[in-house]
Amino acid sequence: MHHVNRRNTLPRLHSGAAMASDRIDAPELPDFTILKRLARDQLIYILEQLPGKKDLFIEPDLMSPLDRIANVSILKQHDVDKLYKLENKPIYSTCDQLCFLIRPRIKHVKYIASIVHSDKSAGKSRKYKIIFSPQKFYTCDMVLEQEGIFGEVTCDEWSFYLLPLDDDIISMELPEFYRDYFLEGDQRWIGTVARALHLLNSIFGPISNAYGIGRCSKMAYEVWRKLLDDNEGDQKNRKPELALVFMIDRDVDYVTPLCSQVVYEGLVDDIFRIKCGSVEFGPEVTSSDKSIKVLLNSQDKVFGEIRNEHFSNVFSFLSQKARNLQTQYDKRRGMDIKQMKTFVAQELKGLKQEHRLLTLHIGACESIMKKKTKQDFQELMKTEHSLLEGFEIRESISFIEEHINRQVSPIESLRLLCLLSITENGLITKDYRSLKTQYLQSYGPEHLLTFSNLKQTGLLTEQVPGEALTAVESRVSKLVTDKAAGKITDAFSSLAKKSHFRGISKRLGLVTEFARVFVLT
């Protein structure tokens, strides 16, 4: 795959064909744009079920995906008068028809109910339509009934399951999935993932084999198989465009997303946050008063060549690219009128576009360099490497303490604490309490809940000596003397504290590439 945003916890599905895209005999990538067209056509159909002018209120999390599928002009063509961001405050729309595009969240349904009640009190008569995406849950109907507006609103489902972000990557754009499942234990999105797989199976032919790691993957697979059995169609003679599916739970590997990025795309995500396949570059990058939103995919030729490059190589590449671009511009000198006409018609527009993108990416590189130099990135990388290898742990803890006390970044400090915990298979009580106290004193007591959540997900835990070995110890004590049993118990406790990650990483050689020195030049 070209990339996976390391901190993005959204479920993403990748085309297996892309892995071998450089091979001559590799199959062509499926045309994932059909997913976008299907979503757009369904949304238009739903909007037309409410004929006439209407105002559309959109949940913030759905604004970016909606912009990629149906822009403002398309919505205007289908009688959408004004668009608003859904916010928890009174509305001032004068339209007789209100349409709400939301995730199936209780707080949003209650907010819409408050609008209906407010209109009733003011004597306003309107029509209301709620569009749930990607589906409506039973609890939403319950809330509508409890609020007494079940018969006064019409509901629909926009089955938007997958959004193509690039030629070889599609995303479910469910930012709440990780928290709901891994922290709250809410399994409601399992069916949504299964439906997304079923959609792929329906459009791109029968998927012959599926492999998974983790409890969530297993449940999604079982629901998906049930959907296939219930909707068994005649796809046996179709040639599959996607033959294999790999499903991996996020908690199978927490180390990867906790490590600092060193490739260009990852650093752009760290500093500017890539959202829904695009990034907003502010004045510090554009060298103007305006911010610019840039779509980051393979259509951006400059980005396509540097996205996976180690950051230390990016500047030299962009410099060479700038020189080549100048050479192409210089070709204009000495041209006759016919050649100039051909140049303007065929090349100039492309060169100007490439020049604009090149300027933006150079500005982004400079901004990244300033930020990482200020954070002492070299020392940070050294600490991470020590944690992964399992040496100089006390020095690493000292660095984390300094990072916290200097208040460099609350998120970065937490990331280092979690990486320390996972690689050490939990922190010893003394270190856990000390680091937690320093963090709360530095960043505020409100982070008590943060530590509780991290502990619940297994990201930042405290070692409990002998907790998992009580059964073993009781059996051993029956076979040997108390003194010998004590020694064996200590040996087992020592063994239990060894990190599972380290054993796996050494056998698979996972840390070798990480040892490369990161130089800012």
Side-chain angles (χ1 to χ4, degrees):
M1 297 307 89
H2 281 309
H3 80 293
V4 179
N5 285 345
R6 65 173 180 80
R7 290 206 176 94
N8 203 332
T9 56
L10 314 184
R12 294 190 174 197
L13 305 168
H14 301 261
S15 163
M19 296 180 70
S21 57
D22 294 334
R23 286 175 46 179
I24 297 172
D25 60 341
E28 290 186 7
L29 285 167
D31 181 14
F32 289 128
T33 57
I34 191 172
L35 295 167
K36 193 185 294 186
R37 294 198 299 271
L38 282 171
R40 183 185 62 222
D41 292 347
Q42 189 194 14
L43 180 61
I44 289 169
Y45 175 78
I46 292 170
L47 290 172
E48 288 178 345
Q49 301 309 298
L50 191 66
K53 292 286 184 183
K54 49 197 162 277
D55 285 349
L56 180 61
F57 292 80
I58 309 163
E59 180 180 339
D61 283 345
L62 284 168
M63 294 191 81
S64 293
L66 180 63
D67 189 48
R68 296 286 298 268
I69 292 168
N71 55 31
V72 175
S73 61
I74 291 174
L75 296 174
K76 294 279 187 185
Q77 289 169 20
H78 295 87
D79 294 329
V80 173
D81 187 23
K82 294 178 182 176
L83 287 90
Y84 298 93
K85 182 190 289 187
L86 191 74
E87 297 175 305
N88 192 20
K89 61 183 183 181
I91 64 169
Y92 300 99
S93 171
T94 57
C95 193
D96 293 333
Q97 298 189 118
L98 303 182
C99 197
F100 301 90
L101 179 59
I102 62 170
R103 293 281 192 213
R105 292 172 175 157
I106 290 173
K107 65 177 182 179
H108 292 330
V109 179
K110 285 188 174 182
Y111 170 64
I112 293 167
S114 71
I115 292 171
V116 176
H117 291 313
S118 177
D119 285 349
K120 273 185 182 180
S121 302
K124 291 181 182 177
S125 178
R126 304 198 223 220
K127 287 184 179 178
Y128 309 93
K129 186 179 186 70
I130 305 176
I131 304 172
F132 293 98
S133 176
Q135 64 194 88
K136 179 177 69 171
F137 293 126
Y138 175 67
T139 49
C140 298
D141 279 339
M142 285 179 60
V143 174
L144 290 172
E145 284 190 36
Q146 289 169 359
E147 296 290 333
I149 62 165
F150 187 81
E152 299 182 46
V153 300
T154 55
C155 297
D156 221 321
E157 290 182 334
W158 181 32
S159 303
F160 159 58
Y161 294 115
L162 296 165
L163 175 66
L165 297 180
D166 208 339
D167 296 338
D168 62 350
I169 184 168
I170 49 181
S171 171
M172 292 190 70
E173 290 303 306
L174 285 176
E176 62 265 57
F177 183 97
Y178 179 83
R179 184 184 181 90
D180 281 357
Y181 179 78
F182 290 101
L183 178 61
E184 307 291 348
D186 190 338
Q187 299 176 5
R188 62 180 179 156
W189 297 114
I190 300 294
T192 308
V193 175
R195 286 183 176 88
L197 289 166
H198 189 59
L199 179 64
L200 287 178
N201 193 85
S202 303
I203 295 175
F204 302 110
I207 297 171
S208 55
N209 291 302
Y211 304 91
I213 303 176
R215 185 165 171 262
C216 181
S217 296
K218 186 175 185 291
M219 288 191 291
Y221 173 77
E222 288 171 350
V223 177
W224 173 38
R225 296 312 301 181
K226 191 175 185 305
L227 288 172
L228 287 175
D229 293 339
D230 293 344
N231 303 281
E232 193 170 359
D234 186 19
Q235 289 194 347
K236 293 180 181 178
N237 296 324
R238 286 186 61 187
K239 183 181 178 182
E241 294 182 74
L242 295 174
L244 302 174
V245 165
F246 297 89
M247 296 180 284
I248 306 172
D249 284 15
R250 175 71 278 171
D251 61 353
V252 170
D253 173 27
Y254 280 136
V255 172
T256 300
L258 289 172
C259 290
S260 293
Q261 284 280 24
V262 291
V263 297
Y264 177 67
E265 182 172 14
L267 286 165
V268 169
D269 182 44
D270 269 346
I271 305 299
F272 305 102
R273 286 288 176 241
I274 298 172
K275 187 176 181 182
C276 202
S278 63
V279 65
E280 188 169 329
F281 288 134
E284 73 278 7
V285 174
T286 60
S287 300
S288 66
D289 296 334
K290 295 181 181 179
S291 296
I292 296 177
K293 200 171 184 179
V294 180
L295 205 59
L296 298 177
N297 57 27
S298 53
Q299 302 302 313
D300 181 339
K301 292 181 179 178
V302 177
F303 177 71
E305 292 183 80
I306 61 175
R307 66 191 304 175
N308 296 318
E309 284 291 323
H310 193 279
F311 191 70
S312 58
N313 299 332
V314 172
F315 256 124
S316 58
F317 175 86
L318 292 176
S319 299
Q320 184 60 48
K321 194 84 176 172
R323 287 192 289 270
N324 293 343
L325 198 62
Q326 187 61 50
T327 303
Q328 288 177 288
Y329 271 123
D330 290 343
K331 288 196 304 184
R332 294 174 297 177
R333 296 172 184 173
M335 284 185 177
D336 56 32
I337 295 176
K338 187 178 179 181
Q339 289 172 325
M340 182 62 76
K341 184 179 178 181
T342 305
F343 175 79
V344 171
Q346 297 179 1
E347 295 184 50
L348 187 59
K349 186 178 179 181
L351 289 175
K352 283 186 175 180
Q353 173 72 1
E354 194 171 348
H355 181 267
R356 185 183 74 87
L357 292 170
L358 188 62
T359 303
L360 283 173
H361 289 301
I362 289 173
C365 282
E366 290 175 342
S367 185
I368 290 169
M369 224 170 61
K370 287 177 186 175
K371 181 83 180 243
K372 292 303 178 184
T373 304
K374 187 178 178 181
Q375 288 186 355
D376 201 359
F377 198 56
Q378 191 72 35
E379 284 298 313
L380 176 65
M381 293 291 290
K382 181 183 174 183
T383 300
E384 288 182 9
H385 187 213
S386 298
L387 293 176
L388 296 181
E389 287 281 30
F391 58 80
E392 297 180 350
I393 299 301
R394 298 320 305 177
E395 289 83 348
S396 298
I397 290 174
S398 297
F399 176 83
I400 296 171
E401 288 176 328
E402 184 184 354
H403 199 275
I404 292 170
N405 296 327
R406 286 170 53 206
Q407 297 183 327
V408 178
S409 164
I411 295 295
E412 291 295 306
S413 296
L414 278 178
R415 186 177 62 75
L416 285 168
L417 287 172
C418 292
L419 189 62
L420 172 65
S421 174
I422 290 169
T423 53
E424 287 292 296
N425 210 16
L427 302 179
I428 61 174
T429 301
K430 179 184 173 184
D431 288 339
Y432 180 83
R433 292 179 180 176
S434 172
L435 289 166
K436 181 180 177 180
T437 301
Q438 290 180 68
Y439 190 92
L440 295 174
Q441 289 174 343
S442 189
Y443 295 114
E446 65 273 14
H447 288 287
L448 274 168
L449 181 59
T450 305
F451 276 84
S452 175
N453 290 341
L454 290 171
K455 188 174 184 178
Q456 195 167 332
T457 56
L459 280 164
L460 183 53
T461 59
E462 180 183 358
Q463 289 179 6
V464 181
E467 186 181 45
L469 299 168
T470 52
V472 176
E473 290 169 17
S474 62
R475 288 186 182 183
V476 167
S477 63
K478 293 176 183 178
L479 300 174
V480 294
T481 63
D482 290 342
K483 190 174 181 181
K487 290 181 179 178
I488 293 173
T489 299
D490 292 341
F492 273 123
S493 297
S494 175
L495 184 65
K497 290 177 185 177
K498 289 186 178 178
S499 171
H500 301 298
F501 165 76
R502 294 230 177 86
I504 294 169
S505 67
K506 285 177 182 176
R507 293 191 69 175
L508 300 179
L510 299 179
V511 189
T512 308
E513 181 61 25
F514 190 87
R516 180 177 180 182
V517 177
F518 188 96
V519 182
L520 292 167
T521 55

CSV table of all heavy atoms in Angstrom, one decimal, residues 36-37 39-45 47-48 54 56 66-81 83:
chain,number,residue,atom,x,y,z
A,36,LYS,N,-18.0,6.1,-5.0
A,36,LYS,CA,-18.4,7.5,-4.8
A,36,LYS,C,-19.6,7.8,-5.6
A,36,LYS,O,-20.5,8.5,-5.1
A,36,LYS,CB,-17.2,8.4,-5.3
A,36,LYS,CG,-17.3,9.8,-4.9
A,36,LYS,CD,-16.2,10.6,-5.5
A,36,LYS,CE,-14.8,10.3,-4.9
A,36,LYS,NZ,-13.8,11.2,-5.4
A,37,ARG,N,-19.7,7.3,-6.8
A,37,ARG,CA,-20.9,7.6,-7.7
A,37,ARG,C,-22.1,7.0,-7.0
A,37,ARG,O,-23.2,7.6,-7.1
A,37,ARG,CB,-20.7,7.0,-9.1
A,37,ARG,CG,-19.5,7.7,-9.8
A,37,ARG,CD,-19.6,7.5,-11.3
A,37,ARG,NE,-19.5,6.1,-11.7
A,37,ARG,CZ,-18.4,5.4,-11.9
A,37,ARG,NH1,-17.2,6.1,-11.8
A,37,ARG,NH2,-18.3,4.2,-12.2
A,39,ALA,N,-22.7,6.4,-3.8
A,39,ALA,CA,-23.1,7.2,-2.7
A,39,ALA,C,-23.7,8.5,-3.1
A,39,ALA,O,-24.7,8.9,-2.4
A,39,ALA,CB,-21.8,7.4,-1.8
A,40,ARG,N,-23.2,9.1,-4.1
A,40,ARG,CA,-23.8,10.4,-4.5
A,40,ARG,C,-25.2,10.2,-5.1
A,40,ARG,O,-26.1,11.0,-4.7
A,40,ARG,CB,-22.9,11.0,-5.6
A,40,ARG,CG,-23.4,12.4,-6.1
A,40,ARG,CD,-22.5,12.9,-7.3
A,40,ARG,NE,-22.7,12.0,-8.4
A,40,ARG,CZ,-21.6,11.6,-9.2
A,40,ARG,NH1,-20.4,12.0,-8.9
A,40,ARG,NH2,-21.8,10.8,-10.2
A,41,ASP,N,-25.4,9.2,-5.9
A,41,ASP,CA,-26.7,8.9,-6.5
A,41,ASP,C,-27.8,8.6,-5.4
A,41,ASP,O,-28.9,9.1,-5.5
A,41,ASP,CB,-26.6,7.8,-7.5
A,41,ASP,CG,-25.8,8.2,-8.8
A,41,ASP,OD1,-25.6,9.4,-8.9
A,41,ASP,OD2,-25.5,7.2,-9.5
A,42,GLN,N,-27.3,7.9,-4.4
A,42,GLN,CA,-28.3,7.5,-3.4
A,42,GLN,C,-28.7,8.8,-2.5
A,42,GLN,O,-29.8,8.9,-2.2
A,42,GLN,CB,-27.7,6.4,-2.4
A,42,GLN,CG,-28.8,5.9,-1.5
A,42,GLN,CD,-28.2,5.1,-0.3
A,42,GLN,OE1,-27.0,5.1,-0.1
A,42,GLN,NE2,-29.0,4.4,0.4
A,43,LEU,N,-27.7,9.6,-2.3
A,43,LEU,CA,-28.0,10.8,-1.5
A,43,LEU,C,-28.9,11.8,-2.3
A,43,LEU,O,-29.9,12.3,-1.7
A,43,LEU,CB,-26.7,11.6,-1.2
A,43,LEU,CG,-26.8,12.9,-0.4
A,43,LEU,CD1,-27.5,12.6,1.0
A,43,LEU,CD2,-25.5,13.6,-0.2
A,44,ILE,N,-28.7,11.9,-3.6
A,44,ILE,CA,-29.6,12.7,-4.4
A,44,ILE,C,-31.0,12.2,-4.4
A,44,ILE,O,-32.0,12.9,-4.3
A,44,ILE,CB,-29.0,12.8,-5.9
A,44,ILE,CG1,-27.8,13.6,-5.9
A,44,ILE,CG2,-30.1,13.3,-6.8
A,44,ILE,CD1,-27.0,13.6,-7.2
A,45,TYR,N,-31.1,10.8,-4.5
A,45,TYR,CA,-32.4,10.2,-4.5
A,45,TYR,C,-33.2,10.5,-3.1
A,45,TYR,O,-34.4,10.8,-3.1
A,45,TYR,CB,-32.3,8.7,-4.7
A,45,TYR,CG,-33.6,7.9,-4.5
A,45,TYR,CD1,-34.5,7.9,-5.6
A,45,TYR,CD2,-33.9,7.2,-3.3
A,45,TYR,CE1,-35.7,7.2,-5.4
A,45,TYR,CE2,-35.1,6.5,-3.2
A,45,TYR,CZ,-36.0,6.5,-4.2
A,45,TYR,OH,-37.1,5.8,-4.1
A,47,LEU,N,-32.6,13.1,-1.1
A,47,LEU,CA,-33.0,14.5,-1.0
A,47,LEU,C,-34.2,14.8,-1.8
A,47,LEU,O,-35.1,15.6,-1.5
A,47,LEU,CB,-31.8,15.3,-1.5
A,47,LEU,CG,-30.6,15.4,-0.6
A,47,LEU,CD1,-29.5,16.1,-1.3
A,47,LEU,CD2,-30.9,16.1,0.7
A,48,GLU,N,-34.4,14.1,-3.0
A,48,GLU,CA,-35.6,14.3,-3.8
A,48,GLU,C,-36.8,13.7,-3.2
A,48,GLU,O,-37.9,14.1,-3.7
A,48,GLU,CB,-35.3,13.7,-5.2
A,48,GLU,CG,-34.3,14.5,-6.0
A,48,GLU,CD,-34.0,13.8,-7.4
A,48,GLU,OE1,-34.3,12.6,-7.6
A,48,GLU,OE2,-33.4,14.5,-8.2
A,54,LYS,N,-35.2,23.3,0.6
A,54,LYS,CA,-34.9,22.8,1.9
A,54,LYS,C,-33.6,23.3,2.4
A,54,LYS,O,-32.6,23.4,1.6
A,54,LYS,CB,-35.0,21.3,2.0
A,54,LYS,CG,-34.2,20.6,0.9
A,54,LYS,CD,-34.7,19.2,0.7
A,54,LYS,CE,-34.2,18.6,-0.6
A,54,LYS,NZ,-35.1,18.9,-1.7
A,56,LEU,N,-30.2,22.3,4.6
A,56,LEU,CA,-29.5,21.0,5.0
A,56,LEU,C,-28.6,21.3,6.1
A,56,LEU,O,-27.6,22.2,6.0
A,56,LEU,CB,-28.8,20.4,3.8
A,56,LEU,CG,-28.0,19.1,4.0
A,56,LEU,CD1,-29.0,18.0,4.5
A,56,LEU,CD2,-27.3,18.7,2.8
A,66,LEU,N,-18.7,14.4,2.7
A,66,LEU,CA,-19.8,14.9,1.8
A,66,LEU,C,-19.2,15.7,0.7
A,66,LEU,O,-19.6,15.6,-0.5
A,66,LEU,CB,-20.8,15.7,2.6
A,66,LEU,CG,-22.0,16.2,1.7
A,66,LEU,CD1,-22.8,15.1,1.1
A,66,LEU,CD2,-22.9,17.1,2.6
A,67,ASP,N,-18.2,16.6,1.0
A,67,ASP,CA,-17.6,17.4,0.0
A,67,ASP,C,-16.9,16.6,-1.1
A,67,ASP,O,-16.8,17.0,-2.2
A,67,ASP,CB,-16.6,18.4,0.7
A,67,ASP,CG,-16.1,19.4,-0.2
A,67,ASP,OD1,-16.9,20.1,-0.9
A,67,ASP,OD2,-14.8,19.6,-0.3
A,68,ARG,N,-16.3,15.4,-0.7
A,68,ARG,CA,-15.7,14.6,-1.7
A,68,ARG,C,-16.7,13.8,-2.6
A,68,ARG,O,-16.3,13.4,-3.6
A,68,ARG,CB,-14.8,13.5,-0.9
A,68,ARG,CG,-13.7,14.1,-0.1
A,68,ARG,CD,-12.5,14.5,-1.0
A,68,ARG,NE,-11.9,13.5,-1.7
A,68,ARG,CZ,-10.9,12.7,-1.4
A,68,ARG,NH1,-10.4,12.9,-0.2
A,68,ARG,NH2,-10.4,11.8,-2.2
A,69,ILE,N,-17.9,13.7,-2.1
A,69,ILE,CA,-18.9,12.9,-2.9
A,69,ILE,C,-19.9,13.8,-3.6
A,69,ILE,O,-20.1,13.6,-4.8
A,69,ILE,CB,-19.7,12.0,-1.9
A,69,ILE,CG1,-18.8,11.0,-1.3
A,69,ILE,CG2,-20.9,11.4,-2.6
A,69,ILE,CD1,-19.4,10.2,-0.2
A,70,ALA,N,-20.4,14.9,-3.0
A,70,ALA,CA,-21.4,15.8,-3.6
A,70,ALA,C,-21.1,17.2,-3.2
A,70,ALA,O,-21.4,17.5,-2.0
A,70,ALA,CB,-22.8,15.4,-3.3
A,71,ASN,N,-20.5,18.0,-4.0
A,71,ASN,CA,-20.2,19.3,-3.6
A,71,ASN,C,-21.4,20.2,-3.6
A,71,ASN,O,-22.5,19.8,-3.9
A,71,ASN,CB,-19.1,19.9,-4.5
A,71,ASN,CG,-19.5,19.9,-6.0
A,71,ASN,OD1,-20.7,20.0,-6.3
A,71,ASN,ND2,-18.6,19.7,-6.9
A,72,VAL,N,-21.2,21.5,-3.2
A,72,VAL,CA,-22.3,22.4,-3.0
A,72,VAL,C,-23.1,22.6,-4.2
A,72,VAL,O,-24.4,22.6,-4.2
A,72,VAL,CB,-21.8,23.8,-2.5
A,72,VAL,CG1,-22.9,24.8,-2.4
A,72,VAL,CG2,-21.1,23.6,-1.1
A,73,SER,N,-22.5,22.7,-5.4
A,73,SER,CA,-23.3,22.9,-6.6
A,73,SER,C,-24.2,21.8,-6.9
A,73,SER,O,-25.3,22.0,-7.4
A,73,SER,CB,-22.3,23.1,-7.8
A,73,SER,OG,-21.5,22.0,-8.0
A,74,ILE,N,-23.8,20.5,-6.6
A,74,ILE,CA,-24.6,19.4,-6.9
A,74,ILE,C,-25.8,19.4,-5.9
A,74,ILE,O,-27.0,19.2,-6.3
A,74,ILE,CB,-23.9,18.1,-6.7
A,74,ILE,CG1,-22.8,17.9,-7.8
A,74,ILE,CG2,-24.8,16.8,-6.7
A,74,ILE,CD1,-21.9,16.7,-7.7
A,75,LEU,N,-25.6,19.8,-4.7
A,75,LEU,CA,-26.7,19.9,-3.7
A,75,LEU,C,-27.7,21.0,-4.1
A,75,LEU,O,-28.9,20.8,-3.9
A,75,LEU,CB,-26.1,20.1,-2.3
A,75,LEU,CG,-25.2,19.0,-1.7
A,75,LEU,CD1,-24.6,19.5,-0.4
A,75,LEU,CD2,-26.0,17.7,-1.5
A,76,LYS,N,-27.1,22.1,-4.6
A,76,LYS,CA,-28.0,23.2,-5.0
A,76,LYS,C,-28.9,22.8,-6.1
A,76,LYS,O,-30.1,23.3,-6.2
A,76,LYS,CB,-27.1,24.4,-5.4
A,76,LYS,CG,-26.3,25.0,-4.3
A,76,LYS,CD,-27.2,26.0,-3.4
A,76,LYS,CE,-26.3,26.7,-2.4
A,76,LYS,NZ,-27.1,27.5,-1.5
A,77,GLN,N,-28.4,22.0,-7.0
A,77,GLN,CA,-29.2,21.5,-8.1
A,77,GLN,C,-30.4,20.7,-7.7
A,77,GLN,O,-31.3,20.5,-8.5
A,77,GLN,CB,-28.3,20.7,-9.1
A,77,GLN,CG,-27.3,21.5,-9.9
A,77,GLN,CD,-26.3,20.6,-10.6
A,77,GLN,OE1,-26.5,19.4,-10.8
A,77,GLN,NE2,-25.1,21.1,-10.9
A,78,HIS,N,-30.3,20.2,-6.5
A,78,HIS,CA,-31.4,19.3,-6.0
A,78,HIS,C,-32.1,20.0,-4.8
A,78,HIS,O,-32.5,19.4,-3.8
A,78,HIS,CB,-30.9,17.9,-5.6
A,78,HIS,CG,-30.4,17.2,-6.8
A,78,HIS,ND1,-29.1,17.3,-7.3
A,78,HIS,CD2,-31.0,16.3,-7.7
A,78,HIS,CE1,-28.9,16.6,-8.3
A,78,HIS,NE2,-30.1,16.0,-8.6
A,79,ASP,N,-32.4,21.3,-5.0
A,79,ASP,CA,-33.2,22.1,-4.1
A,79,ASP,C,-32.7,22.3,-2.7
A,79,ASP,O,-33.5,22.6,-1.8
A,79,ASP,CB,-34.7,21.5,-4.1
A,79,ASP,CG,-35.4,21.6,-5.5
A,79,ASP,OD1,-35.1,22.5,-6.2
A,79,ASP,OD2,-36.2,20.7,-5.8
A,80,VAL,N,-31.4,22.1,-2.5
A,80,VAL,CA,-30.9,22.5,-1.2
A,80,VAL,C,-30.6,24.0,-1.2
A,80,VAL,O,-29.8,24.4,-2.0
A,80,VAL,CB,-29.6,21.7,-0.9
A,80,VAL,CG1,-29.0,22.2,0.4
A,80,VAL,CG2,-29.9,20.2,-0.7
A,81,ASP,N,-31.3,24.7,-0.4
A,81,ASP,CA,-31.2,26.2,-0.4
A,81,ASP,C,-30.0,26.7,0.3
A,81,ASP,O,-29.1,27.3,-0.3
A,81,ASP,CB,-32.5,26.8,0.2
A,81,ASP,CG,-32.5,28.3,0.0
A,81,ASP,OD1,-31.8,28.8,-0.9
A,81,ASP,OD2,-33.2,29.0,0.8
A,83,LEU,N,-26.8,25.6,3.4
A,83,LEU,CA,-26.2,24.5,4.2
A,83,LEU,C,-25.7,25.1,5.5
A,83,LEU,O,-25.1,26.2,5.5
A,83,LEU,CB,-25.0,24.0,3.4
A,83,LEU,CG,-25.4,23.1,2.2
A,83,LEU,CD1,-25.5,23.9,0.9
A,83,LEU,CD2,-24.3,22.0,2.0
